[in-house]
Amino acid sequence: MDRKTIEKLELNKILASAASFAVLPQTKRMLLEEEPQTDMAETKRLLDLTAEADDALFRAGVGRIEEFPEITDELDRAKKGSTLSCKELLGIAQLLRSARVAFRSVKALPQAPLLNELADGIYFDEMLERDITDKILSEDEISDYASDDLYSIRRSIRSLNEKVRNKLAEYLSGEGAKYLQEGIVTMRDNRYVLPVRAEYKTRIRGFVHDRSASGATFFIEPEQILEMNNELRELAAAEKEEIERILAGLSRRVGTMAEQLTADMERLSEIDRAYAKAEFSYKNKCVRPRINGRGVIDIQKGRHPLLDPKTAVPVSVALGKEYKILLVSGPNTGGKTVTLKMCGLFCMMAACGLYIPAAEGSEVAVFSKIFCDIGDAQSIEENLSTFSSHIKNIIGITEGADASSLVLIDELGGGTDPDEGQAIAKAVIGYLLKKGCCGIVTTHYTSLKEYAYSQSGIENASMEFDMNTLQPLYRVSLGVPGSSNAIAISRRLGLSEEILHDAVSNLSEGGRQFENILRAAEKSKVEADEAKKEAESLKSEWKEKLAEVNAEREKLKKEREKLFLNARVESRRIVNERTEQAEELLAQIEEIAKSRELTESDLIRARTLKNKIADKAYLADAEPNDSGKMSPVDFSRLKAGDRVFIGAMQSVGEILSVNQKKKEAEVLMGSLRLNVKADDLFKVVAEPSAARKNVRKDRVQVVRKIEPIRQVKTEINLLGMTVSEAVQEVDAFIDQAVLAGLDEVKIIHGVGTGKLKEGIRNHLRGMKNVAEFRSGVYGEGEAGVTIVKLK
């Protein structure tokens, strides 16, 4: 890709921004020098790599590449047998650590095949890394424990230094102190000496090493420490030799793996580059674009990444399907050039593996070449005018462009006589259309706008303009050319009305009419867009309200169903309670009847018990029955006041009103008002009055009708369900179990991730019919089931 094109479209600035997120210096250079790919497969690989890096950094929490210095030269020297310094070996240790950390972090991401492919070739030696960091403390210090010999040498040096200091201390505090210039010990040529006054130099026997500049002081090494100083020098030499041996040993080990470590640097730089691109994309709120090789560009709500995201207006642009070239017109400062550059820049960014700042679903093409002619390109050095420079660029474009190229031209045909410029512009566009190029061209020429209407393969577009405020709206409107509005803008900026009047009169009649039509069309378009925006806002608002109403209705429906179930459970309880009471009264009557001689009081007591049974009226209205065996009511004859049996509630109610159209009746059941469908209403089996008439005065008769007990499951299997689905199943299951009188049930949910189990147990805690629950024991399913005890 031409470097001038990269700079014109400002890809170099985008790459510099991405490079700021890189850790390694070599990665920064790679990004600054990167060029867009022209191969679809390679572009897809780079985008896939960025996607994997994005997932690793911002979802899996993987750390960045650890920094290490550039050590290419050091590795080459080690390979040749040279001994590296402490600083250089510490750099090697940093590389080994970075390789080790990167390898292990990437290998923990099985969903990142491209990163894993890079990591597969990473080499590291944890033992060498540990040896270097343990033996080398800093850039100029080796640890005492780097080797046994070094430890022994340094211990001897410390011991001998102590002896020397003790011996010299005798001079400082004894009889010889009066001969010294100062009461200190100093060093000359790495040997301990005493500063002796010149007049007393013969009083201290020893070797004179130096004399002060004034000659007043001689630095003498006393005879008594001469041998000790000699021994210290020998030990220092031995220490240096041992350090050299240690560094040489570490360097040899580095040399054996120099090629692998060089490859490591390249692989780590590749991973670092992918991470830098991912972080750039994340920080700039970019999305991954779809890519194609057909020249199709469909940018939705795109924003030039160098503009302030708080003030930039998103722009949508499309070309390459019904039309190959987009002709953009409109006022100056309206955003034409920025839009043109954004399209080319987004294609280049995607070809470098970078995401683009646009809406999801945006699509760009991979082009073999991208040509652009943007801005004033006059050259003093080459003696070229603005027009000449543009034409020189146009020549290069027409000679090099083909069907797989993208062409971006700003103000085609400008900088010369308008008539000739328009003629050249039409000819150039026609030539590019013949070659099958994709492109965007900006213009102010009226004849070019008319040309786009008559020529296939090219489409007009305009940058919208608010005619009321004379401010650009930075929106692309397809299918409609834009007015330049030069006179209107000049008026707003303060140009004399006299001049403006003359300017209008100088326009051709056709030009005035065309511009007036365009301005009217622009105004209507802006007003229509505002109306559409307001309508969509209202539509969205009503959708939200409708969703709220539906949610509330669903909530009321569930509450009603729950109320029905509770009522049925309560009715069962009352029936069972009254049945038990009636049985107790009957038992007492039977006890009285067994007596051979009945007294008057016995008869009175029996009559009283009989009346109590009648008063209980546990079958007062109608007995629960199987609705499947009952006769449905004639809904057309149903009226207010009629008594009916409600199948769902297994109870009798009174009709309040009838809606024949909806086939629904409002029924009063106790204190409850219910809307019941016609197919759930049945005839009452027996009225309470009739039931009482059938009871003979001289005989107590008790009739019990019990609804056949259905087979109720004692366990439910929820495997494979979501939490919301499972909760609904549990509600119905618990209600059936309570109605059936079960004491304990089993819920099978499995172990899995634990979310289903936790969701079910949280729901059970709020159910009033649940007394307690526990996990299963051995033989019951253990942690995969929950045993529920019912109230």
Side-chain angles (χ1 to χ4, degrees):
M1 196 72 69
D2 182 26
R3 205 67 200 174
K4 287 185 179 180
T5 301
I6 289 175
E7 292 175 2
K8 283 282 187 182
L9 296 179
E10 301 176 293
L11 177 65
N12 56 320
K13 295 180 180 179
I14 302 302
L15 292 173
S17 178
S20 67
F21 296 104
V23 173
L24 305 176
Q26 52 267 44
T27 306
K28 297 180 187 293
R29 286 199 306 274
M30 288 169 62
L31 281 166
L32 292 173
E33 296 167 1
E34 186 158 0
E35 292 189 358
Q37 297 294 321
T38 57
D39 180 68
M40 271 285 294
E42 182 60 19
T43 299
K44 182 179 183 303
R45 190 191 75 82
L46 289 177
L47 288 170
D48 288 343
L49 195 57
T50 303
E52 290 181 11
D54 178 76
D55 185 64
L57 290 176
F58 304 110
R59 290 168 185 79
V62 170
R64 298 297 304 273
I65 296 295
E66 294 201 11
E67 188 175 3
F68 57 86
E70 292 189 74
I71 50 176
T72 305
D73 292 340
E74 288 82 347
L75 290 173
D76 288 340
R77 285 170 37 226
K79 185 179 178 181
K80 295 175 182 177
S82 298
T83 298
L84 303 181
S85 66
C86 294
K87 179 181 179 181
E88 291 167 340
L89 285 168
L90 287 175
I92 300 292
Q94 287 178 270
L95 170 58
L96 289 167
R97 173 178 169 78
S98 182
R100 173 173 56 83
V101 172
F103 177 84
R104 290 176 178 171
S105 61
V106 170
K107 281 302 176 182
L109 302 170
Q111 72 278 16
L114 294 177
L115 286 176
N116 270 273
E117 184 180 340
L118 288 172
D120 284 338
I122 291 178
Y123 174 86
F124 61 93
D125 187 330
E126 196 168 356
M127 183 172 291
L128 176 58
E129 175 196 342
R130 190 184 306 113
D131 283 347
I132 293 173
T133 54
D134 286 349
K135 294 179 179 182
I136 302 175
L137 302 180
S138 67
E139 294 181 0
D140 53 8
E141 185 180 2
I142 298 288
S143 169
D144 291 352
Y145 304 98
S147 72
D148 293 340
D149 288 345
L150 184 61
Y151 179 80
S152 176
I153 291 169
R154 286 183 172 176
R155 185 176 60 180
S156 299
I157 290 173
R158 285 192 292 269
S159 175
L160 195 54
N161 274 322
E162 186 66 26
K163 290 179 182 179
V164 171
R165 283 193 293 270
N166 290 336
K167 195 66 178 175
L168 290 174
E170 296 177 3
Y171 286 94
L172 298 179
S173 58
E175 185 68 23
K178 60 185 179 181
Y179 305 129
L180 303 181
Q181 188 75 11
E182 296 179 84
I184 60 171
V185 174
T186 185
M187 299 283 290
R188 286 293 185 275
D189 297 329
N190 291 323
R191 300 174 76 89
Y192 289 103
V193 294
L194 294 172
V196 180
R197 294 178 183 179
E199 60 269 28
Y200 298 122
K201 65 177 181 179
T202 58
R203 300 297 181 94
I204 302 294
R205 296 181 62 82
F207 181 77
V208 177
H209 280 273
D210 199 0
R211 184 176 66 173
S212 65
S214 63
T217 304
F218 283 79
F219 298 95
I220 300 174
E221 179 183 7
E223 285 183 347
Q224 295 177 333
I225 66 166
L226 185 63
E227 286 302 320
M228 287 188 284
N229 272 336
N230 289 339
E231 190 175 349
L232 279 174
R233 290 186 69 117
E234 291 175 5
L235 288 172
E239 178 188 26
K240 183 178 180 181
E241 289 176 4
E242 182 60 20
I243 290 173
E244 286 294 328
R245 189 189 66 79
I246 293 169
L247 296 178
L250 294 172
S251 299
R252 279 194 299 274
R253 292 169 65 183
V254 171
T256 60
M257 60 184 74
E259 291 183 3
Q260 294 95 319
L261 295 181
T262 301
D264 276 0
M265 292 174 64
E266 295 176 1
R267 290 180 177 273
L268 292 173
S269 293
E270 281 291 332
I271 296 173
D272 186 34
R273 180 165 61 165
Y275 285 168
K277 290 177 181 179
E279 192 163 355
F280 167 85
S281 301
Y282 178 80
K283 292 292 175 63
N284 287 279
K285 298 180 180 178
C286 300
V287 301
R288 177 175 181 170
R290 299 198 304 266
I291 58 172
N292 66 81
R294 307 184 310 277
V296 175
I297 297 175
D298 185 7
I299 298 171
Q300 301 172 21
K301 296 181 179 180
R303 171 184 55 80
H304 197 291
L306 297 179
L307 296 178
D308 185 351
K310 296 179 181 177
T311 57
V313 179
V315 176
S316 296
V317 184
L319 71 145
K321 293 181 180 177
E322 294 84 3
Y323 49 89
K324 287 284 189 178
I325 294 180
L326 192 65
L327 184 69
V328 184
S329 53
N332 290 320
T333 71
K336 300 190 300 296
T337 305
V338 172
T339 301
L340 177 142
K341 292 172 74 173
M342 181 190 72
C343 290
L345 178 61
F346 280 8
C347 292
M348 284 187 166
M349 288 174 65
C352 289
L354 288 165
Y355 288 4
I356 62 174
E360 290 285 353
S362 294
E363 185 172 4
V364 295
V366 178
F367 294 99
S368 63
K369 299 174 185 176
I370 296 180
F371 298 94
C372 73
D373 178 45
I374 301 172
D376 186 358
Q378 69 176 337
S379 173
I380 296 175
E381 293 83 357
E382 297 181 20
N383 194 26
L384 294 175
S385 66
T386 300
F387 178 73
S388 300
S389 296
H390 282 309
I391 289 300
K392 187 175 181 182
N393 288 338
I394 296 301
I395 292 171
I397 291 171
T398 54
E399 288 178 350
D402 55 25
S404 61
S405 301
L406 175 66
V407 176
L408 306 169
I409 305 177
D410 191 25
E411 303 295 348
L412 177 59
T416 189
D417 177 76
D419 289 337
E420 293 185 359
Q422 293 181 66
I424 292 173
K426 286 181 185 178
V428 170
I429 291 175
Y431 184 80
L432 294 176
L433 285 172
K434 288 180 182 177
K435 283 203 165 187
C437 302
C438 287
I440 301 177
V441 177
T442 69
T443 187
H444 288 288
Y445 290 147
T446 300
S447 64
L448 273 186
K449 302 171 191 177
E450 295 172 349
Y451 175 76
Y453 277 126
S454 62
Q455 186 71 30
S456 62
I458 182 172
E459 181 65 75
N460 267 311
S462 61
M463 302 305 298
E464 293 185 8
F465 190 77
D466 191 330
M467 295 302 299
N468 296 320
T469 63
L470 299 180
Q471 293 290 333
L473 299 176
Y474 304 107
R475 294 199 300 258
V476 177
S477 180
L478 293 175
V480 180
S483 172
S484 297
N485 292 296
I487 293 176
I489 293 172
S490 299
R491 178 176 286 111
R492 180 174 65 84
L493 295 175
L495 188 62
S496 168
E497 282 295 329
E498 181 181 353
I499 297 174
L500 292 172
H501 179 74
D502 287 344
V504 171
S505 65
N506 290 331
L507 287 173
S508 66
E509 184 64 26
R512 281 200 300 270
Q513 291 179 356
F514 189 78
E515 289 295 318
N516 289 335
I517 291 170
L518 288 183
R519 280 195 290 272
E522 286 177 7
K523 185 175 180 180
S524 300
K525 177 74 166 51
V526 170
E527 291 174 353
D529 286 345
E530 291 297 327
K532 181 181 177 183
K533 186 177 180 181
E534 184 177 353
E536 288 177 349
S537 177
L538 289 172
K539 182 179 178 181
S540 176
E541 183 180 343
W542 280 109
K543 275 186 176 181
E544 290 178 4
K545 290 183 178 180
L546 182 61
E548 291 176 3
V549 169
N550 289 335
E552 188 66 25
R553 180 186 295 172
E554 190 65 25
K555 181 180 177 182
L556 290 174
K557 181 181 177 182
K558 290 180 179 179
E559 289 180 353
R560 186 177 71 174
E561 291 174 353
K562 189 176 289 186
L563 184 63
F564 285 173
L565 287 171
N566 291 340
R568 292 180 65 181
V569 172
E570 184 64 16
S571 65
R572 291 287 185 275
R573 187 190 65 76
I574 293 172
V575 168
N576 291 337
E577 181 182 331
R578 292 186 177 181
T579 301
E580 291 176 2
Q581 292 174 354
E583 287 176 346
E584 289 178 4
L585 294 173
L586 284 172
Q588 293 180 36
I589 293 174
E590 289 175 359
E591 189 67 28
I592 294 171
K594 288 179 181 178
S595 178
R596 293 181 178 180
E597 296 181 2
L598 297 175
T599 63
E600 186 66 22
S601 62
D602 290 334
L603 292 174
I604 292 172
R605 183 182 171 201
R607 192 174 294 111
T608 302
L609 293 172
K610 171 200 165 187
N611 291 335
K612 284 184 178 181
I613 292 174
D615 290 341
K616 291 294 180 185
Y618 62 94
L619 298 174
D621 292 331
E623 301 299 333
N625 208 339
D626 185 353
S627 58
K629 297 179 181 178
M630 299 182 69
S631 301
V633 299
D634 186 350
F635 195 77
S636 61
R637 296 185 179 182
L638 206 60
K639 61 184 181 301
D642 288 349
R643 297 179 66 76
V644 291
F645 183 83
I646 306 167
M649 300 300 296
Q650 290 290 292
S651 186
V652 172
E654 181 180 340
I655 298 294
L656 296 178
S657 63
V658 178
N659 189 329
Q660 294 290 349
K661 188 175 181 180
K662 291 186 176 181
K663 292 293 182 181
E664 188 176 85
E666 185 179 10
V667 184
L668 179 66
M669 189 188 75
S671 60
L672 296 176
R673 288 175 177 266
L674 309 173
N675 289 326
V676 185
K677 295 292 183 183
D679 55 6
D680 200 32
L681 297 175
F682 303 89
K683 293 179 180 179
V684 176
V685 175
E687 290 291 335
S689 57
R692 292 191 190 95
K693 290 177 182 177
N694 291 336
V695 180
R696 291 173 51 189
K697 295 181 180 180
D698 58 344
R699 183 180 177 188
V700 177
Q701 184 179 17
V702 179
V703 179
R704 297 176 63 198
K705 291 185 178 181
I706 305 299
E707 182 182 7
I709 299 176
R710 291 173 293 177
Q711 290 293 327
V712 179
K713 295 180 180 179
T714 60
E715 67 179 40
I716 183 171
N717 190 335
L718 305 176
L719 294 174
M721 295 186 185
T722 64
V723 173
S724 58
E725 293 171 345
V727 164
Q728 293 180 6
E729 294 293 329
V730 168
D731 278 339
F733 176 62
I734 295 295
D735 288 335
Q736 291 175 4
V738 171
L739 291 176
L742 299 180
D743 294 327
E744 191 175 84
V745 293
K746 179 193 291 186
I747 298 175
I748 303 171
H749 45 65
V751 179
T753 62
K755 288 184 179 179
L756 181 59
K757 172 183 175 182
E758 186 64 23
I760 291 170
R761 292 194 171 187
N762 286 337
H763 186 66
L764 291 173
R765 291 187 182 96
M767 297 186 71
K768 64 180 182 179
N769 291 323
V770 174
E772 59 184 37
F773 58 84
R774 62 176 174 82
S775 295
V777 297
Y778 181 77
E780 292 180 326
E782 302 182 25
V785 304
T786 295
I787 307 299
V788 182
K789 187 174 182 181
L790 303 175
K791 294 181 180 178

